[in-house]
Amino acid sequence: MKKSLLRKYAKLAVRSGVNVQKGQILVINAEANAYEFVRLCTEEAYKAKAKKVVVNFSDEEVTHQTYLHCSKETLSEFPDYIYQQRKYYQDQGCCFLSIISSTPGLMSDVDVEKVAAYRKVASKKMEPLRKYTMNNIGQWCIVSLPTVAWAKMVFPQLSDKKALEALWKAVLDAVMVNDSTNPVKVWKDHSAKLKRYCDILNDYHFDKLHFTNSLGTDLYVQLVKKHIWVGGSSISEKKVEFNPNMP
């Protein structure tokens, strides 16, 4: 992957994704294999005058081994420091950038009861903090980085190298990153366009939608009363615009 495109993607994630503000803490959660991209995101965040960048690395291979060899009882223990760390940064009004770079199917040989046990205790413990992102109290964003394993699932007919190149192109096309454009401006214009469309749809107050096509589709979808069309960017409690999912 060209360093110039990777840097553009990092800038987009930081400036348009979480839209870190001057004096704000950025918390990055990422797989260890995404370290180069994390470094670029960190650099872009400090250029945006972030107060501090906190990086939490994980490694899916280590996680895989943990699930294979730890007991269900051990996996049912959830350390309080994880909760306290997140609460500490949320109390300071941080924003979260999650970088997904995983291997599909890696956990297929893991006992599902072990996974369920950990997820259950983690979900219960972290529930009080989840509304920070789910209610858009603070900004958050999820971006994806291709891996060879993921690329081979999408493009099985290609070599590892060609498949990875093809998936990178698909991801960058989806987030509108290329050599000739300023993706931050492109996404700003894109969000404004989606907002205009939502405003138009809301002004119509449709009762139902009617879908037809040349293949014979003739479908009516009844809409609930006082429905609201939304899409594109979100707004945090402090009126900061951000894009939660890219793409």
Side-chain angles (χ1 to χ4, degrees), residues 160-195:
D160 288 0
K161 181 180 179 181
K162 292 294 184 181
L164 187 60
E165 290 175 352
L167 186 56
W168 260 116
K169 183 179 186 307
V171 169
L172 292 181
D173 284 348
V175 294
M176 297 178 280
V177 171
N178 56 55
D179 288 318
S180 61
T181 61
N182 176 353
V184 173
K185 183 181 185 306
V186 170
W187 272 80
K188 183 177 181 180
D189 294 342
H190 178 62
S191 293
K193 180 172 67 175
L194 290 178
K195 186 179 185 305

Side-chain angles (χ1 to χ4, degrees), residues 67-224:
Y67 276 128
L68 285 177
H69 300 291
C70 286
S71 68
K72 182 179 176 181
E73 290 70 29
T74 297
L75 291 168
S76 297
E77 300 168 357
F78 194 86
D80 190 58
Y81 77 85
I82 297 177
Y83 174 91
Q84 293 298 336
Q85 182 196 50
R86 184 176 177 112
K87 183 177 185 302
Y88 173 80
Y89 290 120
Q90 287 187 184
D91 287 347
Q92 296 188 62
C94 73
C95 54
F96 291 99
L97 175 61
S98 296
I99 301 167
I100 308 301
S101 183
S102 57
T103 301
L106 179 63
M107 304 296 174
S108 60
D109 58 346
V110 171
D111 183 350
V112 293
E113 290 190 2
K114 288 185 175 183
V115 178
Y118 175 78
R119 288 180 177 174
K120 180 179 179 180
V121 68
S123 178
K124 183 177 180 180
K125 182 69 175 182
M126 302 301 284
E127 177 62 30
L129 303 180
R130 197 165 293 120
K131 67 179 182 179
Y132 186 84
T133 50
M134 293 299 94
N135 292 359
N136 293 342
I137 294 173
Q139 314 101 276
W140 58 280
C141 177
I142 301 173
V143 298
S144 296
L145 292 190
T147 62
V148 172
W150 177 19
K152 288 293 289 182
M153 289 190 71
V154 181
F155 303 103
Q157 74 281 9
L158 301 179
S159 67
D160 288 0
K161 181 180 179 181
K162 292 294 184 181
L164 187 60
E165 290 175 352
L167 186 56
W168 260 116
K169 183 179 186 307
V171 169
L172 292 181
D173 284 348
V175 294
M176 297 178 280
V177 171
N178 56 55
D179 288 318
S180 61
T181 61
N182 176 353
V184 173
K185 183 181 185 306
V186 170
W187 272 80
K188 183 177 181 180
D189 294 342
H190 178 62
S191 293
K193 180 172 67 175
L194 290 178
K195 186 179 185 305
R196 288 197 301 273
Y197 290 162
C198 288
D199 289 342
I200 292 170
L201 289 167
N202 285 323
D203 288 342
Y204 273 112
H205 301 293
F206 287 121
D207 177 62
K208 58 180 172 289
L209 302 179
H210 185 197
F211 296 92
T212 63
N213 67 17
S214 60
L215 300 177
T217 296
D218 188 5
L219 174 67
Y220 285 91
V221 177
Q222 188 73 34
L223 301 179
V224 298

